[in-house]
Amino acid sequence: MGTAVDRHIALIGFMGAGKTTVGEEVARRTGRPFVDTDAEIEARHGPITELFDRGEAEFRRLEREIVDEALSAGVPSVIALGGGAFEAARSDRALAVLIDVDVDTAWERSRRTSRPLAHEEAAFRALFAARDYRSVADVVAEDADGVLLAGLGIRIGPGKADGDVLLIDARLRELRTFGLDQTITVQEKTLAEAWRVWSELRLGRDGTIVAYGGGTTTDLAGFVAATYMRGVRWNALPTTLVGQVDAAIGGKTAIDLPQGKNLVGAFHYPDRVGIDPRELETLPDEERRNGMAEVVKTGLLAGRPLWELAEDEMIRACAAFKAEVCLEDPYERKGRREILNLGHTFGHALEAASNYEVPHGEAVALGLKAALKLSAIEIDHPLDPQPVRLDRELAWAVLQRDKKVRRGRIRLVLLEALGKPVVREVESDEARAALDELIID
Ligand SMILES: NC(=O)c1ccc[n+]([C@@H]2O[C@H](COP(=O)([O-])OP(=O)(O)OC[C@H]3O[C@@H](n4cnc5c(N)ncnc54)[C@H](O)[C@@H]3O)[C@@H](O)[C@H]2O)c1
Ligand SMILES: [Zn+2]
Protein backbone atom coordinates (compact mmCIF):
# COMPACT_ATOMS: atom_id res chain seq x y z
CA MET A 1 0.00 0.00 0.00
CA GLY A 2 1.62 3.28 1.05
CA THR A 3 1.60 6.47 -0.95
CA ALA A 4 2.84 7.62 -4.35
CA VAL A 5 4.92 10.45 -2.88
CA ASP A 6 8.17 9.03 -4.30
CA ARG A 7 6.68 6.42 -6.61
CA HIS A 8 4.77 6.09 -9.83
CA ILE A 9 1.03 5.98 -9.97
CA ALA A 10 0.12 2.94 -12.09
CA LEU A 11 -3.45 2.92 -13.36
CA ILE A 12 -4.86 -0.51 -14.02
CA GLY A 13 -8.26 -1.63 -15.22
CA PHE A 14 -10.14 -3.24 -18.05
CA MET A 15 -10.52 -1.84 -21.58
CA GLY A 16 -12.89 1.09 -21.56
CA ALA A 17 -12.34 1.92 -17.87
CA GLY A 18 -10.96 5.35 -18.77
CA LYS A 19 -7.32 4.86 -17.71
CA THR A 20 -6.04 7.17 -20.44
CA THR A 21 -8.49 10.00 -19.77
CA VAL A 22 -8.01 9.84 -16.00
CA GLY A 23 -4.26 9.34 -16.36
CA GLU A 24 -3.87 12.39 -18.59
CA GLU A 25 -5.77 14.54 -16.12
CA VAL A 26 -3.77 13.28 -13.11
CA ALA A 27 -0.49 13.82 -14.98
CA ARG A 28 -1.47 17.34 -16.01
CA ARG A 29 -2.59 18.28 -12.52
CA THR A 30 0.51 16.87 -10.79
CA GLY A 31 2.98 17.99 -13.45
CA ARG A 32 4.16 14.38 -13.72
CA PRO A 33 5.04 12.68 -17.00
CA PHE A 34 2.31 10.48 -18.47
CA VAL A 35 3.04 7.13 -20.10
CA ASP A 36 0.23 5.26 -21.80
CA THR A 37 1.77 1.87 -22.53
CA ASP A 38 -0.66 1.05 -25.38
CA ALA A 39 0.02 4.39 -27.07
CA GLU A 40 3.76 3.92 -26.56
CA ILE A 41 3.64 0.48 -28.20
CA GLU A 42 1.79 1.91 -31.20
CA ALA A 43 4.22 4.82 -31.46
CA ARG A 44 7.17 2.45 -31.59
CA HIS A 45 5.85 -0.65 -33.28
CA GLY A 46 2.70 0.30 -35.19
CA PRO A 47 -1.03 -0.38 -34.70
CA ILE A 48 -1.88 -2.87 -31.94
CA THR A 49 -4.32 -4.73 -34.22
CA GLU A 50 -1.47 -5.48 -36.62
CA LEU A 51 0.83 -6.54 -33.80
CA PHE A 52 -1.90 -8.83 -32.52
CA ASP A 53 -2.25 -10.40 -35.94
CA ARG A 54 1.33 -11.52 -35.55
CA GLY A 55 0.39 -13.27 -32.33
CA GLU A 56 -0.49 -12.18 -28.81
CA ALA A 57 2.77 -13.54 -27.35
CA GLU A 58 4.84 -11.14 -29.42
CA PHE A 59 2.58 -8.24 -28.42
CA ARG A 60 2.96 -9.13 -24.74
CA ARG A 61 6.75 -9.24 -25.10
CA LEU A 62 6.86 -5.73 -26.59
CA GLU A 63 4.40 -4.56 -23.96
CA ARG A 64 6.54 -5.93 -21.11
CA GLU A 65 9.57 -4.08 -22.46
CA ILE A 66 7.73 -0.78 -22.44
CA VAL A 67 6.14 -1.36 -19.05
CA ASP A 68 9.52 -2.27 -17.49
CA GLU A 69 11.03 0.87 -18.97
CA ALA A 70 8.22 3.04 -17.60
CA LEU A 71 8.48 1.51 -14.13
CA SER A 72 12.28 1.96 -14.09
CA ALA A 73 12.09 5.68 -14.86
CA GLY A 74 13.55 7.74 -12.02
CA VAL A 75 10.98 10.51 -12.20
CA PRO A 76 7.69 9.61 -10.48
CA SER A 77 5.18 9.33 -13.33
CA VAL A 78 1.62 8.44 -14.08
CA ILE A 79 1.47 5.18 -16.03
CA ALA A 80 -1.65 3.81 -17.69
CA LEU A 81 -1.01 0.10 -18.02
CA GLY A 82 -2.58 -1.72 -20.96
CA GLY A 83 -5.53 -3.85 -19.87
CA GLY A 84 -3.51 -7.08 -19.93
CA ALA A 85 -0.35 -5.69 -18.34
CA PHE A 86 -1.81 -5.12 -14.88
CA GLU A 87 0.29 -7.79 -13.14
CA ALA A 88 3.29 -5.47 -13.59
CA ALA A 89 1.68 -3.08 -11.10
CA ARG A 90 2.65 -5.44 -8.27
CA SER A 91 5.98 -3.58 -8.41
CA ASP A 92 7.27 -1.73 -5.34
CA ARG A 93 7.95 1.18 -7.65
CA ALA A 94 4.31 2.01 -8.15
CA LEU A 95 1.08 2.54 -6.30
CA ALA A 96 -1.47 0.43 -8.21
CA VAL A 97 -4.78 2.24 -8.61
CA LEU A 98 -7.67 0.36 -10.18
CA ILE A 99 -9.98 2.43 -12.33
CA ASP A 100 -13.09 0.37 -11.94
CA VAL A 101 -15.74 -0.14 -14.60
CA ASP A 102 -18.64 -2.52 -14.98
CA VAL A 103 -18.64 -4.92 -17.90
CA ASP A 104 -21.62 -3.32 -19.71
CA THR A 105 -20.05 0.14 -19.72
CA ALA A 106 -16.71 -1.33 -20.75
CA TRP A 107 -18.35 -3.16 -23.66
CA GLU A 108 -20.31 -0.09 -24.78
CA ARG A 109 -17.12 1.97 -24.82
CA SER A 110 -14.93 -0.67 -26.46
CA ARG A 111 -17.17 -2.36 -29.05
CA ARG A 112 -16.82 0.28 -31.72
CA THR A 113 -13.07 0.63 -31.32
CA SER A 114 -10.42 -1.34 -33.12
CA ARG A 115 -9.23 -3.04 -29.93
CA PRO A 116 -8.33 -6.61 -30.88
CA LEU A 117 -9.94 -8.15 -27.81
CA ALA A 118 -13.23 -6.28 -28.25
CA HIS A 119 -14.55 -7.85 -31.44
CA GLU A 120 -16.83 -10.40 -29.96
CA GLU A 121 -19.08 -9.78 -26.97
CA ALA A 122 -19.06 -13.22 -25.35
CA ALA A 123 -15.26 -13.42 -25.46
CA PHE A 124 -15.05 -9.85 -24.13
CA ARG A 125 -17.25 -10.74 -21.15
CA ALA A 126 -15.31 -13.93 -20.48
CA LEU A 127 -12.03 -12.01 -20.46
CA PHE A 128 -13.53 -9.43 -18.11
CA ALA A 129 -14.54 -12.17 -15.68
CA ALA A 130 -11.11 -13.80 -15.89
CA ARG A 131 -8.99 -10.77 -15.04
CA ASP A 132 -8.52 -10.26 -11.33
CA TYR A 133 -7.52 -6.59 -11.10
CA ARG A 134 -8.48 -6.33 -7.45
CA SER A 135 -5.79 -8.80 -6.40
CA VAL A 136 -3.18 -6.40 -7.76
CA ALA A 137 -4.78 -3.05 -6.85
CA ASP A 138 -3.63 -1.17 -3.76
CA VAL A 139 -6.73 0.98 -4.02
CA VAL A 140 -9.75 1.59 -6.26
CA ALA A 141 -10.62 5.03 -7.67
CA GLU A 142 -13.48 6.30 -9.80
CA ASP A 143 -12.10 9.58 -11.13
CA ALA A 144 -9.01 11.81 -11.22
CA ASP A 145 -9.72 13.26 -7.75
CA GLY A 146 -9.94 9.69 -6.46
CA VAL A 147 -6.52 8.87 -7.93
CA LEU A 148 -4.99 12.03 -6.44
CA LEU A 149 -6.42 11.19 -3.02
CA ALA A 150 -5.17 7.61 -3.32
CA GLY A 151 -1.75 8.99 -4.20
CA LEU A 152 -1.39 10.32 -0.66
CA GLY A 153 -3.18 7.42 1.04
CA ILE A 154 -6.28 9.53 1.64
CA ARG A 155 -9.62 7.83 2.09
CA ILE A 156 -12.85 9.75 2.44
CA GLY A 157 -15.55 8.20 4.57
CA PRO A 158 -15.88 6.35 7.84
CA GLY A 159 -12.86 4.30 8.77
CA LYS A 160 -11.30 2.83 11.82
CA ALA A 161 -8.02 3.68 13.52
CA ASP A 162 -5.38 1.28 12.32
CA GLY A 163 -2.15 1.29 14.30
CA ASP A 164 -0.63 0.73 17.73
CA VAL A 165 -0.69 3.98 19.67
CA LEU A 166 -3.46 6.55 19.53
CA LEU A 167 -2.62 10.21 20.06
CA ILE A 168 -5.95 11.87 20.70
CA ASP A 169 -6.94 15.51 21.08
CA ALA A 170 -7.94 16.22 24.69
CA ARG A 171 -11.34 17.63 23.73
CA LEU A 172 -12.15 14.59 21.56
CA ARG A 173 -11.20 12.28 24.37
CA GLU A 174 -14.26 13.61 26.16
CA LEU A 175 -16.47 13.29 23.10
CA ARG A 176 -15.54 9.90 21.65
CA THR A 177 -14.78 6.39 22.71
CA PHE A 178 -11.88 4.89 20.90
CA GLY A 179 -9.09 2.52 21.76
CA LEU A 180 -5.82 1.06 20.57
CA ASP A 181 -3.15 -0.72 22.63
CA GLN A 182 -2.08 2.61 24.08
CA THR A 183 -3.82 5.98 24.14
CA ILE A 184 -2.07 9.27 24.86
CA THR A 185 -4.04 12.49 25.22
CA VAL A 186 -2.44 15.60 23.74
CA GLN A 187 -3.39 19.26 23.64
CA GLU A 188 -0.63 21.38 22.21
CA LYS A 189 2.16 21.10 19.69
CA THR A 190 5.05 22.08 21.91
CA LEU A 191 8.43 20.58 22.73
CA ALA A 192 7.20 19.72 26.24
CA GLU A 193 4.27 17.79 24.75
CA ALA A 194 6.51 16.00 22.24
CA TRP A 195 8.90 15.15 25.06
CA ARG A 196 6.09 13.65 27.13
CA VAL A 197 4.82 11.60 24.19
CA TRP A 198 8.34 10.34 23.33
CA SER A 199 8.76 9.19 26.94
CA GLU A 200 5.36 7.56 27.23
CA LEU A 201 5.35 5.75 23.89
CA ARG A 202 5.37 1.98 24.05
CA LEU A 203 6.15 1.32 20.42
CA GLY A 204 8.67 -0.64 18.39
CA ARG A 205 10.38 0.49 15.21
CA ASP A 206 7.69 -1.19 13.12
CA GLY A 207 4.82 0.32 15.10
CA THR A 208 2.34 2.88 13.83
CA ILE A 209 1.09 6.02 15.57
CA VAL A 210 -2.45 7.15 14.87
CA ALA A 211 -3.30 10.83 15.24
CA TYR A 212 -6.94 11.63 16.00
CA GLY A 213 -7.73 15.32 16.20
CA GLY A 214 -7.21 18.63 14.41
CA GLY A 215 -4.05 20.14 12.97
CA THR A 216 -2.56 20.58 16.43
CA THR A 217 -2.76 16.83 17.04
CA THR A 218 -1.71 15.71 13.55
CA ASP A 219 1.23 18.16 13.44
CA LEU A 220 2.47 16.95 16.83
CA ALA A 221 1.86 13.25 16.13
CA GLY A 222 3.55 13.50 12.74
CA PHE A 223 6.53 15.23 14.33
CA VAL A 224 6.78 12.59 17.04
CA ALA A 225 6.50 9.88 14.37
CA ALA A 226 9.22 11.55 12.29
CA THR A 227 11.64 11.66 15.21
CA TYR A 228 10.87 8.67 17.43
CA MET A 229 13.49 5.98 16.68
CA ARG A 230 14.46 8.09 13.65
CA GLY A 231 11.02 7.70 12.19
CA VAL A 232 8.05 5.37 12.59
CA ARG A 233 4.91 5.16 10.48
CA TRP A 234 1.82 7.16 11.24
CA ASN A 235 -1.79 7.55 10.13
CA ALA A 236 -3.97 10.63 10.47
CA LEU A 237 -7.65 10.84 11.31
CA PRO A 238 -8.31 14.59 11.06
CA THR A 239 -11.38 15.86 12.92
CA THR A 240 -11.43 19.56 12.06
CA LEU A 241 -12.22 21.14 8.70
CA VAL A 242 -8.71 22.65 8.72
CA GLY A 243 -7.31 19.19 9.30
CA GLN A 244 -9.42 17.52 6.62
CA VAL A 245 -8.70 20.00 3.82
CA ASP A 246 -5.21 21.11 4.81
CA ALA A 247 -3.20 20.17 7.91
CA ALA A 248 -3.35 16.37 7.67
CA ILE A 249 -2.38 16.43 3.98
CA GLY A 250 1.06 17.05 2.58
CA GLY A 251 3.56 15.60 5.04
CA LYS A 252 4.45 18.76 6.94
CA THR A 253 4.80 18.09 10.65
CA ALA A 254 5.89 20.57 13.29
CA ILE A 255 5.88 21.94 16.79
CA ASP A 256 5.77 25.59 17.81
CA LEU A 257 8.53 27.34 19.74
CA PRO A 258 8.07 30.39 21.98
CA GLN A 259 9.83 32.31 19.17
CA GLY A 260 7.25 31.38 16.56
CA LYS A 261 4.90 28.81 15.07
CA ASN A 262 6.06 25.67 13.27
CA LEU A 263 9.74 26.47 13.78
CA VAL A 264 10.84 22.85 14.33
CA GLY A 265 9.57 20.04 12.16
CA ALA A 266 10.09 17.62 9.33
CA PHE A 267 8.48 16.30 6.21
CA HIS A 268 7.04 12.92 7.16
CA TYR A 269 4.04 11.71 5.19
CA PRO A 270 1.39 9.63 6.91
CA ASP A 271 0.74 6.27 5.22
CA ARG A 272 -2.96 6.87 5.47
CA VAL A 273 -5.29 9.77 6.05
CA GLY A 274 -8.85 8.81 6.95
CA ILE A 275 -11.19 11.74 6.40
CA ASP A 276 -14.67 11.26 7.80
CA PRO A 277 -16.75 14.43 7.30
CA ARG A 278 -19.13 13.20 10.00
CA GLU A 279 -16.41 13.95 12.56
CA LEU A 280 -17.23 17.62 12.02
CA GLU A 281 -20.69 17.31 13.58
CA THR A 282 -19.31 18.35 16.98
CA LEU A 283 -16.96 21.01 15.64
CA PRO A 284 -17.61 24.52 17.02
CA ASP A 285 -18.69 27.15 14.46
CA GLU A 286 -15.58 29.29 14.84
CA GLU A 287 -13.42 26.25 14.03
CA ARG A 288 -15.54 25.55 10.95
CA ARG A 289 -15.01 29.13 9.85
CA ASN A 290 -11.25 28.66 10.19
CA GLY A 291 -11.53 25.74 7.80
CA MET A 292 -13.74 27.65 5.38
CA ALA A 293 -10.94 30.18 4.86
CA GLU A 294 -8.72 27.35 3.55
CA VAL A 295 -11.63 26.06 1.45
CA VAL A 296 -12.05 29.49 -0.17
CA LYS A 297 -8.28 29.68 -0.73
CA THR A 298 -8.40 26.27 -2.42
CA GLY A 299 -11.37 27.23 -4.58
CA LEU A 300 -9.64 30.40 -5.77
CA LEU A 301 -6.51 28.39 -6.62
CA ALA A 302 -8.48 25.65 -8.36
CA GLY A 303 -10.70 28.14 -10.17
CA ARG A 304 -13.96 26.58 -8.97
CA PRO A 305 -16.35 27.79 -6.25
CA LEU A 306 -15.66 24.75 -4.07
CA TRP A 307 -17.17 26.57 -1.08
CA GLU A 308 -20.59 26.20 -2.72
CA LEU A 309 -20.47 22.40 -2.81
CA ALA A 310 -22.21 20.14 -0.29
CA GLU A 311 -19.85 19.55 2.62
CA ASP A 312 -18.72 16.02 1.70
CA GLU A 313 -17.96 16.97 -1.90
CA MET A 314 -16.31 20.19 -0.81
CA ILE A 315 -13.94 18.35 1.52
CA ARG A 316 -13.18 15.72 -1.13
CA ALA A 317 -12.39 18.33 -3.80
CA CYS A 318 -10.23 20.43 -1.46
CA ALA A 319 -8.30 17.42 -0.19
CA ALA A 320 -7.74 16.27 -3.79
CA PHE A 321 -6.45 19.70 -4.76
CA LYS A 322 -3.95 19.78 -1.91
CA ALA A 323 -2.91 16.22 -2.82
CA GLU A 324 -2.37 17.32 -6.44
CA VAL A 325 -0.01 20.11 -5.35
CA CYS A 326 1.87 17.91 -2.89
CA LEU A 327 2.26 15.02 -5.35
CA GLU A 328 3.95 17.48 -7.68
CA ASP A 329 6.11 19.06 -4.98
CA PRO A 330 6.19 16.69 -1.98
CA TYR A 331 9.10 18.35 -0.13
CA GLU A 332 8.65 21.99 -1.16
CA ARG A 333 11.62 21.99 -3.52
CA LYS A 334 9.98 22.77 -6.83
CA GLY A 335 8.00 25.87 -6.06
CA ARG A 336 4.50 24.58 -6.77
CA ARG A 337 3.63 24.43 -3.07
CA GLU A 338 4.23 28.15 -2.82
CA ILE A 339 0.76 28.79 -4.23
CA LEU A 340 -0.71 27.38 -1.01
CA ASN A 341 0.41 30.64 0.63
CA LEU A 342 -2.33 32.57 -1.16
CA GLY A 343 -3.75 35.02 1.38
CA HIS A 344 -1.30 33.87 4.03
CA THR A 345 1.33 36.62 3.85
CA PHE A 346 -1.21 39.28 4.83
CA GLY A 347 -2.92 36.75 7.09
CA HIS A 348 0.23 36.06 9.09
CA ALA A 349 0.88 39.77 9.47
CA LEU A 350 -2.60 40.27 10.96
CA GLU A 351 -2.28 37.23 13.23
CA ALA A 352 1.14 38.24 14.55
CA ALA A 353 0.26 41.94 14.95
CA SER A 354 -2.77 40.97 17.01
CA ASN A 355 -0.62 38.66 19.12
CA TYR A 356 -2.68 35.79 17.68
CA GLU A 357 -5.97 37.24 18.93
CA VAL A 358 -7.25 37.22 15.36
CA PRO A 359 -7.91 33.54 14.51
CA HIS A 360 -5.94 32.03 11.61
CA GLY A 361 -9.07 31.57 9.49
CA GLU A 362 -10.23 35.14 9.97
CA ALA A 363 -6.74 36.42 9.16
CA VAL A 364 -6.53 34.26 6.02
CA ALA A 365 -10.03 35.31 4.92
CA LEU A 366 -8.82 38.93 5.13
CA GLY A 367 -5.54 38.03 3.44
CA LEU A 368 -7.53 36.53 0.56
CA LYS A 369 -9.46 39.79 0.31
CA ALA A 370 -6.15 41.63 -0.12
CA ALA A 371 -4.93 39.06 -2.64
CA LEU A 372 -8.13 39.44 -4.71
CA LYS A 373 -7.78 43.21 -4.61
CA LEU A 374 -4.11 43.16 -5.69
CA SER A 375 -5.03 40.63 -8.39
CA ALA A 376 -7.79 42.98 -9.62
CA ILE A 377 -10.30 40.12 -9.44
CA GLU A 378 -13.80 41.22 -8.67
CA ILE A 379 -15.84 38.55 -7.00
CA ASP A 380 -17.91 38.70 -3.84
CA HIS A 381 -15.80 37.30 -1.04
CA PRO A 382 -17.69 34.18 0.11
CA LEU A 383 -16.80 34.86 3.76
CA ASP A 384 -17.17 38.66 3.72
CA PRO A 385 -14.53 39.18 6.45
CA GLN A 386 -14.68 42.46 8.37
CA PRO A 387 -11.63 44.63 9.08
CA VAL A 388 -9.94 43.98 12.42
CA ARG A 389 -8.80 46.47 15.03
CA LEU A 390 -5.05 46.37 15.52
CA ASP A 391 -1.85 48.37 15.16
CA ARG A 392 -1.34 49.14 11.43
CA GLU A 393 2.33 50.00 11.80
CA LEU A 394 3.01 46.74 13.63
CA ALA A 395 1.18 44.71 10.97
CA TRP A 396 3.12 46.49 8.24
CA ALA A 397 6.40 45.88 10.07
CA VAL A 398 5.61 42.15 10.34
CA LEU A 399 4.65 41.96 6.67
CA GLN A 400 7.90 43.59 5.58
CA ARG A 401 9.97 41.39 7.86
CA ASP A 402 8.13 38.27 6.66
CA LYS A 403 8.64 38.90 3.01
CA LYS A 404 12.05 40.61 3.10
CA VAL A 405 10.94 43.58 1.09
CA ARG A 406 13.60 44.31 -1.52
CA ARG A 407 13.97 47.61 -3.35
CA GLY A 408 10.53 48.68 -2.23
CA ARG A 409 8.85 45.58 -3.68
CA ILE A 410 7.17 42.63 -2.04
CA ARG A 411 6.74 39.09 -3.40
CA LEU A 412 3.23 37.67 -3.16
CA VAL A 413 1.12 34.82 -4.44
CA LEU A 414 -1.64 36.43 -6.49
CA LEU A 415 -4.07 35.32 -9.18
CA GLU A 416 -3.70 36.05 -12.86
CA ALA A 417 -7.27 34.82 -13.08
CA LEU A 418 -9.37 32.46 -10.98
CA GLY A 419 -7.52 29.14 -10.98
CA LYS A 420 -4.30 30.75 -12.25
CA PRO A 421 -1.98 31.52 -9.35
CA VAL A 422 1.19 33.52 -10.01
CA VAL A 423 4.00 34.75 -7.83
CA ARG A 424 4.41 38.45 -8.43
CA GLU A 425 6.29 41.41 -7.02
CA VAL A 426 4.08 44.25 -5.90
CA GLU A 427 5.09 47.86 -5.14
CA SER A 428 5.24 48.30 -1.40
CA ASP A 429 2.83 51.26 -1.34
CA GLU A 430 0.29 49.14 -3.19
CA ALA A 431 0.74 46.34 -0.65
CA ARG A 432 0.49 48.83 2.21
CA ALA A 433 -2.78 50.20 0.83
CA ALA A 434 -4.23 46.68 0.56
CA LEU A 435 -3.16 45.92 4.14
CA ASP A 436 -4.65 49.16 5.45
CA GLU A 437 -8.07 48.16 4.10
CA LEU A 438 -8.07 45.11 6.36
CA ILE A 439 -7.59 47.16 9.51
CA ILE A 440 -9.69 49.68 11.43
CA ASP A 441 -8.26 51.99 14.08
N1 LIG B 1 0.87 20.59 8.55
C1 LIG B 1 0.22 21.44 7.78
O1 LIG B 1 0.35 21.44 6.56
C2 LIG B 1 -0.72 22.42 8.41
C3 LIG B 1 -1.62 23.14 7.62
C4 LIG B 1 -2.51 23.99 8.24
C5 LIG B 1 -2.50 24.13 9.62
N2 LIG B 1 -1.60 23.42 10.36
C6 LIG B 1 -1.55 23.55 11.82
O2 LIG B 1 -2.78 23.12 12.35
C7 LIG B 1 -3.00 23.75 13.58
C8 LIG B 1 -4.45 24.18 13.65
O3 LIG B 1 -5.26 23.05 13.49
P1 LIG B 1 -6.85 23.11 13.61
O4 LIG B 1 -7.34 24.34 13.02
O5 LIG B 1 -7.35 21.81 13.12
O6 LIG B 1 -7.09 23.29 15.17
P2 LIG B 1 -6.88 22.36 16.45
O7 LIG B 1 -6.32 21.03 16.14
O8 LIG B 1 -6.12 23.19 17.40
O9 LIG B 1 -8.37 22.16 16.95
C9 LIG B 1 -9.17 23.31 17.22
C10 LIG B 1 -10.11 23.02 18.39
O10 LIG B 1 -11.13 22.10 18.00
C11 LIG B 1 -11.21 21.01 18.90
N3 LIG B 1 -11.67 19.89 18.11
C12 LIG B 1 -10.99 19.19 17.17
N4 LIG B 1 -11.80 18.33 16.53
C13 LIG B 1 -13.03 18.49 17.06
C14 LIG B 1 -14.30 17.90 16.81
N5 LIG B 1 -14.46 17.01 15.84
N6 LIG B 1 -15.33 18.29 17.57
C15 LIG B 1 -15.17 19.24 18.54
N7 LIG B 1 -14.01 19.83 18.81
C16 LIG B 1 -12.96 19.46 18.08
C17 LIG B 1 -9.84 20.91 19.52
O11 LIG B 1 -9.89 20.33 20.79
C18 LIG B 1 -9.43 22.38 19.58
O12 LIG B 1 -9.95 22.97 20.74
C19 LIG B 1 -2.01 24.90 13.67
O13 LIG B 1 -1.03 24.58 14.62
C20 LIG B 1 -1.39 24.96 12.29
O14 LIG B 1 -0.05 25.36 12.32
C21 LIG B 1 -0.72 22.58 9.78
ZN1 LIG C 1 -3.72 28.43 6.69
Side-chain angles (χ1 to χ4, degrees):
M1 180 66 201
T3 70
V5 170
D6 300 303
R7 301 193 294 165
H8 305 300
I9 296 172
L11 302 180
I12 59 173
F14 205 62
M15 279 174 265
K19 299 183 294 288
T20 303
T21 315
V22 170
E24 274 169 354
E25 180 177 343
V26 171
R28 176 174 51 74
R29 290 172 60 181
T30 57
R32 290 184 173 206
F34 179 55
V35 184
D36 183 336
T37 60
D38 280 349
E40 195 57 33
I41 291 174
E42 297 213 314
R44 291 194 203 174
H45 305 289
I48 288 179
T49 31
E50 286 173 25
L51 294 172
F52 246 74
D53 289 344
R54 282 186 250 145
E56 186 171 345
E58 171 65 359
F59 171 77
R60 295 290 171 210
R61 194 184 63 75
L62 297 173
E63 182 178 53
R64 203 165 316 119
E65 243 172 52
I66 281 163
V67 169
D68 285 348
E69 199 177 301
L71 286 170
S72 322
V75 184
S77 314
V78 180
I79 305 168
L81 289 176
F86 66 104
E87 297 278 357
R90 288 190 203 275
S91 163
D92 286 344
R93 294 167 172 273
L95 178 78
V97 184
L98 169 60
I99 307 296
D100 213 4
V101 67
D102 61 86
V103 67
D104 297 324
T105 310
W107 173 245
E108 275 316 305
R109 288 180 187 165
S110 306
R111 59 191 291 191
R112 275 180 275 274
T113 66
S114 60
R115 296 173 207 235
L117 297 173
H119 291 327
E120 207 268 305
E121 186 169 352
F124 183 90
R125 287 176 183 274
L127 187 63
F128 185 94
R131 287 213 179 134
D132 187 7
Y133 292 102
R134 280 175 195 268
S135 69
V136 176
D138 292 305
V139 52
V140 181
E142 56 191 19
D143 56 10
D145 273 4
V147 176
L148 293 162
L149 293 166
L152 288 189
I154 303 167
R155 232 200 80 140
I156 311 271
K160 58 176 176 53
D162 208 351
D164 305 289
V165 177
L166 185 71
L167 261 60
I168 184 170
D169 171 274
R171 173 99 188 87
L172 278 187
R173 183 99 204 227
E174 297 162 17
L175 294 169
R176 312 272 200 277
T177 49
F178 223 113
L180 293 181
D181 290 352
Q182 187 189 8
T183 301
I184 302 176
T185 306
V186 296
Q187 30 195 346
E188 48 178 31
K189 36 182 280 205
T190 58
L191 181 59
E193 196 81 321
W195 187 286
R196 182 174 61 83
V197 177
W198 285 323
S199 350
E200 286 181 20
L201 275 177
R202 295 195 304 271
L203 193 72
R205 246 171 244 292
D206 56 357
T208 299
I209 293 174
V210 178
Y212 184 45
T216 301
T217 307
T218 52
D219 271 18
L220 174 78
F223 175 70
V224 166
T227 45
Y228 188 71
M229 290 186 168
R230 298 195 194 86
V232 294
R233 284 195 293 275
W234 74 291
N235 294 333
L237 299 172
T239 62
T240 60
L241 187 53
V242 168
Q244 298 192 344
V245 300
D246 193 1
I249 302 168
K252 280 192 181 181
T253 74
I255 54 173
D256 297 335
L257 295 188
Q259 290 86 341
K261 297 177 86 182
N262 299 321
L263 286 183
V264 176
F267 276 102
H268 190 52
Y269 278 80
D271 286 338
R272 284 188 220 161
V273 182
I275 297 179
D276 184 354
R278 289 181 319 183
E279 292 284 356
L280 306 183
E281 280 164 18
T282 52
L283 193 69
D285 284 346
E286 66 266 28
E287 296 300 339
R288 188 175 300 264
R289 196 169 157 87
N290 277 334
M292 283 309 294
E294 308 297 346
V295 168
V296 171
K297 175 190 84 175
T298 308
L300 296 174
L301 292 171
R304 288 162 54 212
L306 302 179
W307 55 85
E308 289 174 3
L309 297 174
E311 188 165 84
D312 290 17
E313 284 174 66
M314 174 183 91
I315 291 170
R316 184 176 190 269
C318 288
F321 184 83
K322 179 136 188 210
E324 154 188 337
V325 174
C326 295
L327 281 166
E328 172 158 5
D329 188 13
Y331 307 107
E332 207 160 49
R333 289 179 196 143
K334 296 185 188 159
R336 173 103 194 264
R337 273 180 100 121
E338 203 175 2
I339 64 168
L340 300 172
N341 285 328
L342 183 70
H344 278 63
T345 304
F346 284 76
H348 286 148
L350 299 175
E351 272 185 290
S354 73
N355 205 11
Y356 295 91
E357 297 269 305
V358 177
H360 181 70
E362 213 49 43
V364 168
L366 285 163
L368 292 171
K369 188 170 163 176
L372 285 168
K373 160 119 192 166
L374 291 167
S375 304
I377 289 180
E378 284 171 37
I379 62 160
D380 285 335
H381 195 308
L383 298 172
D384 191 27
Q386 298 306 306
V388 283
R389 193 178 298 277
L390 49 77
D391 185 339
R392 291 173 192 280
E393 297 308 324
L394 183 56
W396 179 238
V398 178
L399 188 73
Q400 285 176 297
R401 179 151 32 89
D402 252 30
K403 299 307 272 190
K404 299 181 198 70
V405 171
R406 294 246 168 79
R407 284 167 263 105
R409 310 193 109 223
I410 189 164
R411 229 171 93 87
L412 292 171
V413 180
L414 296 177
L415 297 168
E416 216 162 64
L418 291 174
K420 289 213 177 311
V422 280
V423 178
R424 194 186 299 152
E425 289 201 339
V426 172
E427 298 292 342
S428 73
D429 51 355
E430 220 188 323
R432 173 70 201 245
L435 179 69
D436 275 337
E437 283 189 26
L438 310 178
I439 298 171
I440 45 167
D441 297 305

